[in-house]
Every structure is written in structure tokens, then in C-alpha cells.
Amino acid sequence: MKKITLLFTILFSISLTSQELYWYDVILEVEAEDTVEFEKTVDEFYSSVDFPEDVTMTFSRIPLKGKGYEETHILSFVSPSSESLANLRSSLSGKKWENYLEVVRPLVDGVRASAGNAMMVYNPEEFHGIGQVWAFKIKSKDIPAFAGAFGKLMETFDFPGFVGLAPVTHGISDGENILIYGTYENLNSAFTFGPKNDAEANAFTEFFNVTGDISEFTQSWTRVKINDYN
């Protein structure tokens, strides 16, 4: 199995390596009493899928989220090739797929999908099993300024794991079109996230000063990995 660090070196490396990266997320809402059966069914199906060499999926729970965010699980597909990602999605058909959906549909109360491509990545070798998303609404004309401010912040801030910035190009929800995604080695690292010294505190202040008038922070949620598939 490919190492997950290799996956996310691919995942958010556009700005650092000029390599394109595409992602496709399916986010689902499952009632607590159906969670065991749902996770078992998803794991069994995707363990049997013949993934292209350059496509990987991560299946995760979403245990930490804000009020009004009902989704409980996420399937994240990523690839440096838009064609490979599209071909995998198109291949999910036929009798085996229909049998899978027949089992899964009654267990799912809601589902939505989104897709996009990456802009920036830092610490790709430190992708961990706990991941946090920060979602923003930003006018298209202000995205370069926001990305520039994020890059400036990352010159000083020592994030404890992988962190990247990616636009949403399909399936935008309520105008949220930019995601910052970071990972943590454990819950303690997640709980203690933030600036650790004056230099980092000043870098955050500068970031908020630049982005405060051009962006709206809408929500944050945290996922915990169940399994990887490739």
C-alpha cells in the first residue's frame, strides 16, 4: 500500500511543485445506531475496488463540528490526474455498485459532494490521522490576496503537521469556496493548536489584519481517519 505521506505530497503540492492535484469529497450523515453497519459496508466495498495507481481514498469520521453541521463521515478521493479521478468515479457502476448502494442508502440520511484542486501545501511528510478543516467565503478577486497572506503566515508559524490551502470549484455550499486543511498527530496536538511565541502571534495578527475585510470564516470541523484505500 502506498504510504499516506506520499498521497498528500501529491494532494496539496501545486504551488511548491507546479503539479496539479484534484480532490473529490463525499460527505454523509449517518445516524448513530447505523454507524457500525455503514462503516463496515463502506470498508468492505472500497477494499475491493481496483483503484488507479495515482488515486487514493481516505474514509473518516467527523466527530467534532459546529452547530448545524449534521454530516458524520467523509470519503475523500485525491489524485494528481483529473482524468484518473474522473475515470474512477465513472467506474463506480454496474451490479456490484448497485448492490453496495442498496445496502448503504437506507443508512444515510443526507449526502453532498464537492471537488476542487489545490493551491499550497506545507509539511507534506507529516500527514496525520486527525484532520481539521477551516472554511471561508471569499470573493474570487480576493483569493490571491488571501493565499498570499496565508503563505506569509506559514513563513513564521510552525504548524504541527501537514497544512494546505485549496479552492472549492464544484459543490460550493453557502458560498464557502476556500478551505484550509491541517492535520495533527494526536488530540493533544489538536487541542493545543495556535501560536506558541510572540513571533507566531504577530504573524497571526498580520494574517487576520489582511484577510479580515476580504474573507468570512464560516465553520470548522475535524475528521478522524478510519482507513485508506488505493
Side-chain angles (χ1 to χ4, degrees):
M1 179 178 287
K2 304 184 192 76
K3 292 185 178 181
I4 193 65
T5 52
L6 175 60
L7 160 64
F8 277 88
T9 299
I10 294 171
L11 176 58
F12 284 105
S13 59
I14 287 179
S15 66
L16 300 189
T17 67
S18 299
Q19 180 181 37
E20 292 291 328
L21 181 284
Y22 300 87
W23 55 269
Y24 170 68
D25 287 346
V26 180
I27 309 175
L28 308 105
E29 178 186 353
V30 179
E31 295 293 336
E33 61 267 24
D34 296 323
T35 295
V36 172
E37 184 179 358
F38 171 77
E39 292 180 355
K40 178 176 181 292
T41 302
V42 171
D43 182 65
E44 288 178 348
F45 176 77
Y46 282 102
S47 293
S48 69
V49 169
D50 185 17
F51 281 81
E53 184 176 351
D54 55 355
V55 179
T56 302
M57 188 195 91
T58 300
F59 179 35
S60 304
R61 301 182 187 94
I62 306 176
L64 301 175
K65 53 204 170 187
K67 181 179 180 181
Y69 191 95
E70 305 298 336
E71 286 87 354
T72 59
H73 293 76
I74 180 170
L75 285 67
S76 297
F77 302 81
V78 296
S79 176
S81 167
S82 59
E83 183 176 5
S84 293
L85 194 58
N87 287 343
L88 172 64
R89 182 62 188 87
S90 298
S91 73
L92 299 177
S93 60
K95 185 63 175 178
K96 185 177 179 181
W97 173 249
E98 291 300 325
N99 290 340
Y100 163 72
L101 292 181
E102 187 175 342
V103 177
V104 166
R105 280 192 183 110
L107 307 175
V108 175
D109 292 339
V111 59
R112 63 184 177 91
S114 62
N117 59 326
M119 286 180 65
M120 308 174 76
V121 62
Y122 300 87
N123 306 329
E125 73 285 357
E126 296 181 31
F127 185 83
H128 304 302
I130 298 174
Q132 184 174 3
V133 172
W134 296 267
F136 298 84
K137 296 180 183 180
I138 305 173
K139 292 181 179 180
S140 296
K141 69 179 181 65
D142 293 323
I143 289 176
F146 185 92
F150 177 71
K152 183 69 173 178
L153 168 66
M154 294 309 300
E155 291 177 5
T156 301
F157 181 47
D158 183 19
F159 194 86
F162 164 89
V163 63
L165 183 149
V168 182
T169 56
H170 300 277
I172 294 175
S173 178
D174 295 325
E176 296 170 347
N177 59 346
I178 288 290
L179 305 178
I180 294 176
Y181 182 73
T183 72
Y184 308 97
E185 187 174 7
N186 50 50
L187 279 176
N188 181 62
S189 179
F191 291 160
T192 57
F193 162 77
K196 299 296 191 296
N197 53 54
D198 289 343
E200 292 186 348
N202 290 336
F204 266 92
T205 298
E206 182 179 353
F207 173 75
F208 293 134
N209 286 340
V210 173
T211 62
D213 292 333
I214 63 173
S215 66
E216 177 186 350
F217 172 63
T218 59
Q219 64 172 313
S220 176
W221 51 268
T222 300
R223 65 97 185 150
V224 177
K225 183 180 72 174
I226 297 174
N227 207 353
D228 297 310
Y229 308 84
N230 51 27

